[in-house]
Amino acid sequence: MKTTLDHDITKVKALRKMKRNALALLGIAVLLFIIAIYFKIPMLQAFSEAAMVGGIADWFAVVALFRHPMGIPIWHTAIIPTKKNEIGENLGNFVSEEFLNREKMEIKLEEFNFAVKASDWLSQEENANKIANVVAVNLIPGILKTIKDEEVRRFIQVQFKEKLEGINFGNWVALALEPLQKGNVKDELLTNLLQVMSAELTNNKDLIRKKVKASTPFLSFGLADKSISEGIFNGLQDFLEEAKNPQSAVRIKIDEYVYNFLDKVKNSEEMRLKINEIILGFVGKKEVQDYINGIWDEIKLSITNDLNKGDDSSIKNSISGLIQTFGNGIKEDQIMIDKINNFIKNDLLSVLLNNKKVIGDLISSTVKSWDGKEVSEKLELEIGKDLQYIRINGTLVGGCIGLVIYGVEQLYHFIF
């Protein structure tokens, strides 16, 4: 692929070649003039004289556009660099008056159908990948580099704290425990719990005896240990067995306790504050804070690692897919097409028309800010090659006119 520099070099070579051709043709005219004088050939002399005049005159005209001929500051030469400001102002006025014209622009916009062409372009996988690649390679990494990590972490901390403080955890706890008041869930849960406690009590009977023995007076010589421990064990077992009965007084008391606890959780401000305080106190622990601070680092690392996968990046492929879906969606939605085209035709067009003077002034001020010599050189590089044909045509046409004048003169002498 050719670069801008390669294109400029090509243009410079083409311009120099055309200049040499025009100069060579003028040189031929000079040579013909010398031959005509030496060999006294009037017709050739007339042709060569007029050709030289035409070639030199057109050389002067072409050069005068860009610089002073032969460096001599002749009046009305070096037109482009000296008249740069006036050219910029006229160009700005021309664009604002001729191009930014409502009737002309409306016709062109209707013919162009921007929405359809844009949707066709976006729906193509190659184009969607180009946009996604720009976003994945330049935009997202640029944003990540611009963002200050400490500010993001602070933002997450503040948001996390504010969100937690605004949550009534009491309602959440009540909602989680509410099934205990309904159906057989509570009874089954309590029954299972009591069975586990009864089994554990049996499994730890020896431990109960040891604890009782350690607590009885030394002077009893262990005579009351067995009776006391058996009494405690049997009493606890009887209590647990009674509690297993859903109609027992113990179960009624448990039901009442659970009901009152859930009611406090849901309706007591004091209980709500205690629950929230416990949870917020847990969140304030260093381990939890370190985890919250690491959330942003994990997110950023995950994004970076994914983008480094290139064509296998899920983020890039997702963006590409969204762009294609968006493009296809527009094509199938005539209402959206009309809205986009109407926006371009009315809103955007109105903005352009309302600011056409600003646009014209921008063009004018931009041209005025350019260096006159640089502008002249760039323009000559762009159009100078074609202007050399003026010199070539001037030489040839001048010579032909010289022949015509010579022929008329000879005809006049012949007749009169």
Side-chain angles (χ1 to χ4, degrees), residues 176-327:
L177 297 178
E178 197 168 5
L180 294 177
Q181 290 182 306
K182 299 178 181 179
N184 298 324
V185 177
K186 177 189 63 177
D187 292 334
E188 292 178 0
L189 181 64
L190 283 173
T191 299
N192 292 335
L193 178 62
L194 291 169
Q195 288 176 349
V196 171
M197 292 176 65
S198 178
E200 288 298 314
L201 184 64
T202 301
N203 294 334
N204 291 279
K205 190 173 183 179
D206 293 337
L207 179 63
I208 293 173
R209 286 196 183 120
K210 291 180 182 180
K211 292 291 183 182
V212 171
K213 184 177 181 180
S215 301
T216 53
F218 175 73
L219 296 176
S220 65
F221 300 104
L223 298 177
D225 295 348
K226 184 175 181 180
S227 298
I228 294 173
S229 61
E230 286 293 330
I232 293 173
F233 177 79
N234 293 332
L236 290 173
Q237 282 288 16
D238 290 341
F239 175 81
L240 293 176
E241 286 297 323
E242 182 183 359
K244 291 178 184 179
N245 181 7
Q247 305 301 324
S248 66
V250 175
R251 288 291 285 268
I252 292 173
K253 285 288 185 182
I254 293 174
D255 286 344
E256 185 179 346
Y257 174 80
V258 171
Y259 176 83
N260 291 334
F261 176 76
L262 292 177
D263 183 67
K264 283 185 178 181
V265 169
K266 288 193 291 185
N267 302 313
S268 172
E269 180 67 17
E270 181 181 358
M271 180 64 74
R272 185 187 73 81
L273 291 175
K274 284 183 178 180
I275 294 173
N276 284 3
E277 184 178 345
I278 291 172
I279 294 176
L280 292 176
F282 171 76
V283 172
K285 290 184 175 296
K286 182 179 182 303
E287 294 81 0
V288 178
Q289 290 295 308
D290 290 342
Y291 173 77
I292 296 173
N293 287 333
I295 291 175
W296 168 241
D297 295 330
E298 290 294 329
I299 293 173
K300 190 168 70 168
L301 181 62
S302 298
I303 294 173
T304 303
N305 289 339
D306 183 81
L307 294 177
N308 288 336
K309 295 179 181 178
D311 292 336
D312 295 327
S313 168
S314 58
I315 295 175
K316 176 187 171 183
N317 292 330
S318 296
I319 294 172
S320 178
L322 287 173
I323 293 171
Q324 286 182 265
T325 302
F326 178 72

Side-chain angles (χ1 to χ4, degrees), residues 29-214:
V30 173
L31 181 60
L32 291 176
F33 176 74
I34 294 172
I35 293 172
I37 293 294
Y38 184 81
F39 292 101
K40 295 181 171 52
I41 306 173
M43 184 180 293
L44 183 59
Q45 182 178 346
F47 173 83
S48 58
E49 284 178 347
M52 287 189 298
V53 171
I56 294 172
D58 285 337
W59 166 82
F60 183 90
V62 171
V63 173
L65 286 173
F66 305 105
R67 64 187 67 83
H68 296 298
M70 301 178 68
I72 303 172
I74 302 172
W75 189 50
H76 276 307
T77 58
I79 294 173
I80 290 176
T82 57
K83 297 291 184 179
K84 171 178 63 71
N85 293 346
E86 290 86 340
I87 292 172
E89 189 171 345
N90 291 333
L91 180 60
N93 292 334
F94 176 75
V95 170
S96 62
E97 295 300 328
E98 296 299 325
F99 283 88
L100 299 179
N101 179 281
R102 178 176 287 277
E103 290 74 17
K104 293 180 181 178
M105 293 186 71
E106 283 181 346
I107 294 173
K108 290 296 181 183
L109 288 174
E110 288 177 356
E111 293 175 352
F112 185 71
N113 199 339
F114 176 83
V116 172
K117 284 184 169 55
S119 62
D120 287 338
W121 192 86
L122 291 173
S123 61
Q124 296 178 21
E125 183 178 359
E126 181 183 358
N127 298 327
N129 285 336
K130 287 179 181 178
I131 299 175
N133 190 60
V134 171
V135 175
V137 175
N138 299 318
L139 185 60
I140 296 178
I143 293 174
L144 292 178
K145 289 179 181 178
T146 303
I147 294 175
K148 295 182 178 179
D149 293 341
E150 286 302 321
E151 293 181 359
V152 176
R153 294 191 188 102
R154 191 180 305 112
F155 174 80
I156 294 175
Q157 287 278 7
V158 171
Q159 292 298 313
F160 192 76
K161 182 179 179 182
E162 289 179 354
K163 293 297 181 184
L164 287 179
E165 290 176 348
I167 294 174
N168 187 346
F169 289 102
N171 288 340
W172 285 19
V173 173
L175 184 64
L177 297 178
E178 197 168 5
L180 294 177
Q181 290 182 306
K182 299 178 181 179
N184 298 324
V185 177
K186 177 189 63 177
D187 292 334
E188 292 178 0
L189 181 64
L190 283 173
T191 299
N192 292 335
L193 178 62
L194 291 169
Q195 288 176 349
V196 171
M197 292 176 65
S198 178
E200 288 298 314
L201 184 64
T202 301
N203 294 334
N204 291 279
K205 190 173 183 179
D206 293 337
L207 179 63
I208 293 173
R209 286 196 183 120
K210 291 180 182 180
K211 292 291 183 182
V212 171
K213 184 177 181 180

Side-chain angles (χ1 to χ4, degrees), residues 14-32 48 51-60 62-63 70 384-385 387-396:
L15 176 60
R16 289 176 178 173
K17 180 180 178 181
M18 287 305 301
K19 283 183 175 181
R20 286 195 298 267
N21 293 340
L23 183 61
L25 187 59
L26 181 59
I28 291 172
V30 173
L31 181 60
L32 291 176
S48 58
M52 287 189 298
V53 171
I56 294 172
D58 285 337
W59 166 82
F60 183 90
V62 171
V63 173
M70 301 178 68
K385 174 186 172 183
L387 291 178
Q388 301 310 308
Y389 285 105
I390 296 177
R391 295 174 57 189
I392 294 172
N393 292 337
T395 303
L396 296 175

